[in-house]
Amino acid sequence: MATEMEGKGQVEEIMVTTTVKMVEGSTNGGVVVEAHPYAFHVSGPRNLSSPNWRDIISSSWKDPNYKRTVMACFIQAAYLLELDRQENRTAEDALAPKWWLPFKYKLTQTLIDERDGSIFGAVLEWDRSAALSDFILMRPSGAPRAVLALRGTLLKSVTIRRDLTDDFRFLAWESLKGSVRFKVAFDALKSIADKYGSGNVCVVGHSLGAGFALQIGKTLAKEGIHVEAHLFNPPSVSLAMSLKNLGERASFAWRRFRSMLPSGGEIQDIILDDQKKVAATAVLKKWVPHLYVNNSDYVCCYYADPTGNGEGNNSDSKENVAPAVNNAAAVAAKLFVLSKGNQKFLDAHKLEQWWADDLQLQTVINNSKLISRQLKSLYEHPISRETPLKQK
């Protein structure tokens, strides 16, 4: 997010405006065929088989590495749909379809930003006809019926204004709900969840798109609709978060001061309310998003920090650490962390890394205060107080 706004030329994986020409191993009528650098066969995953009849017996989708790779490819397709539009590509030379066709999916909806006409997302659904043509008689176990894929920021003249508007919206308020794109994406996700059932639907996104995916997924979860979510390099840095940290410190000091006052009635009420919230949380079904974070990417690295504020495990900041019992009871998420030493930001933020062959991930669950902050609203419900009857 930050460097997206600094405009260092990063185009969220595929934003290079100059076509890099690569010589393929074949020629067409004596003329060397040139391939776009973001063609699937050039920059896509290697050693990844397409679905086949064997998947009926043992599905590749049960492998989390395979699923992560395919989800990242679907997001790449969302980026390329907009680039295809901007560069006026036809169906014959479009780049985007090659990123979903090998997995037997089809495009059923593009998400359009009415402000500039840009494509910021896509709905991809299992293509039964394409599967049958390869003798795949049924959808492999674990393969979703539909996927909503959301791209991040495109630093192109056509899209940069609206993309950066949402970047700044998150930076200032840590929320994307006021964006036109939020409603369009939410409606699309709700529609396919109603059509196929929440257990057959995924929402995926990268960077800014991951921010939208997290918030629309969380909004649906509040309605009891839990869809699978895969969030790559989700934004974690905002001015609002910094102000909240200051507010939490001030609030902590005020509560300590009040506890020393002679009358502790209000403090007792707070304690009872907290106990009721924890008890209510225990019976709630959890929504479990999957977050993919690179420690060298300062857009998302705070998710991997237990304190959520860049202070590591500093014991001098205990007021900023949520109680362990509340974390365990109230928050559910799977955090996958990639550490490769001191990487450059552009490499650490790119989408392409998530389908690399040599990817080594660490898994951390329920160990991030920032995740707690993002998801706590799902499990905290206001406690209703009974109004005492008036004496007659």
Side-chain angles (χ1 to χ4, degrees):
M1 292 271 295
T3 54
E4 292 168 354
M5 287 170 281
E6 292 169 6
K8 287 187 176 180
Q10 166 76 359
V11 210
E12 299 262 302
E13 305 322 307
I14 58 174
M15 308 305 109
V16 178
T17 56
T18 303
T19 300
V20 179
K21 297 182 178 181
M22 303 179 65
V23 178
E24 291 186 295
S26 61
T27 59
N28 184 8
V31 179
V32 177
V33 178
E34 297 170 345
H36 193 283
Y38 299 111
F40 182 80
H41 70 279
V42 174
S43 59
R46 299 288 182 264
N47 304 318
L48 188 66
S49 61
S50 299
N52 54 59
W53 63 268
R54 294 183 182 85
D55 280 342
I56 299 175
I57 302 172
S58 180
S59 173
S60 299
W61 284 89
K62 293 181 179 180
D63 180 357
N65 292 324
Y66 180 88
K67 177 173 283 191
R68 182 198 66 247
T69 295
V70 178
M71 295 304 173
C73 289
F74 287 169
I75 300 169
Q76 185 82 328
Y79 277 115
L80 288 169
L81 279 168
E82 173 57 19
L83 283 187
D84 285 343
R85 184 189 75 88
Q86 292 183 20
E87 298 176 8
N88 298 315
R89 293 195 182 92
T90 64
E92 288 72 25
D93 62 356
L95 298 171
K98 302 298 191 299
W99 290 83
W100 66 69
L101 290 176
F103 309 108
K104 309 306 177 188
Y105 279 78
K106 61 183 177 181
L107 177 68
T108 58
Q109 181 183 353
T110 54
L111 275 58
I112 308 296
D113 188 326
E114 63 183 23
R115 299 169 298 181
D116 59 7
S118 64
I119 298 172
F120 67 92
V123 175
L124 303 171
E125 299 185 14
W126 175 254
D127 189 345
R128 187 170 180 270
S129 297
L132 287 174
S133 67
D134 283 347
F135 305 102
I136 305 172
L137 304 181
M138 58 189 298
R139 181 168 49 94
S141 176
R145 289 288 301 270
V147 178
L148 172 61
L150 302 171
R151 67 166 176 84
T153 304
L154 280 173
L155 298 183
K156 301 269 285 183
S157 60
V158 180
T159 55
I160 189 171
R161 179 182 176 186
R162 297 308 180 187
D163 284 2
L164 291 185
T165 296
D166 287 330
D167 285 329
F168 283 118
R169 185 189 306 276
F170 184 88
L171 179 65
W173 303 111
E174 201 175 352
S175 176
L176 296 165
K177 288 189 176 181
S179 171
V180 169
R181 296 180 181 181
F182 180 90
K183 185 179 187 310
V184 175
F186 176 82
D187 290 346
L189 186 60
K190 180 71 160 56
S191 176
I192 57 178
D194 289 343
K195 180 178 180 180
Y196 294 120
S198 59
N200 296 312
V201 170
C202 289
V203 58
V204 299
H206 174 246
S207 194
L208 178 62
F212 276 109
L214 176 61
Q215 294 199 351
I216 64 175
K218 184 169 66 173
T219 303
L220 265 187
K222 289 180 180 180
E223 300 180 10
I225 303 173
H226 299 168
V227 301
E228 188 173 332
H230 294 266
L231 316 173
F232 299 85
N233 301 87
S236 64
V237 180
S238 74
L239 296 177
M241 188 175 71
S242 299
L243 293 175
K244 283 181 180 180
N245 285 337
L246 293 175
E248 287 174 0
R249 291 175 183 267
S251 177
F252 174 78
W254 173 241
R255 288 198 302 270
R256 288 191 63 181
F257 174 75
R258 286 178 61 188
S259 67
M260 294 184 286
L261 297 178
S263 175
E266 293 184 7
I267 298 297
Q268 185 63 29
D269 287 343
I270 293 174
I271 294 174
L272 290 174
D273 280 356
D274 288 342
Q275 291 174 344
K276 291 177 182 178
K277 289 176 182 178
V278 172
T281 295
V283 298
L284 288 175
K285 181 181 179 183
K286 289 179 173 61
W287 178 58
V288 186
H290 299 67
L291 282 69
Y292 303 91
V293 170
N294 188 316
N295 270 342
S296 298
D297 175 13
Y298 61 78
V299 168
C300 63
C301 64
Y302 288 123
Y303 278 107
D305 179 358
T307 67
N309 55 22
E311 297 183 9
N313 292 311
N314 189 346
S315 60
D316 294 333
S317 303
K318 291 182 180 178
E319 67 268 27
N320 286 325
V321 182
V325 63
N326 288 341
N327 272 343
V331 178
K334 291 186 178 181
L335 179 63
F336 301 91
V337 180
L338 174 63
S339 299
K340 281 192 173 181
N342 295 323
Q343 277 186 294
K344 294 182 179 179
F345 167 73
L346 297 184
D347 292 330
H349 191 64
K350 64 183 180 180
L351 180 61
E352 183 177 316
Q353 66 185 313
W354 299 111
W355 63 69
D357 292 334
D358 60 346
L359 197 61
Q360 297 291 329
L361 298 178
Q362 296 176 329
T363 304
V364 182
I365 301 178
N366 293 336
N367 192 31
S368 166
K369 190 188 177 190
L370 185 53
I371 292 178
S372 301
R373 191 199 312 277
Q374 292 283 9
L375 301 183
K376 68 180 181 180
S377 62
L378 290 175
Y379 310 109
E380 290 185 358
H381 298 279
I383 306 298
S384 60
R385 297 181 180 272
E386 294 183 1
T387 304
L389 297 175
K390 295 182 178 180
Q391 297 291 334
K392 292 184 179 180

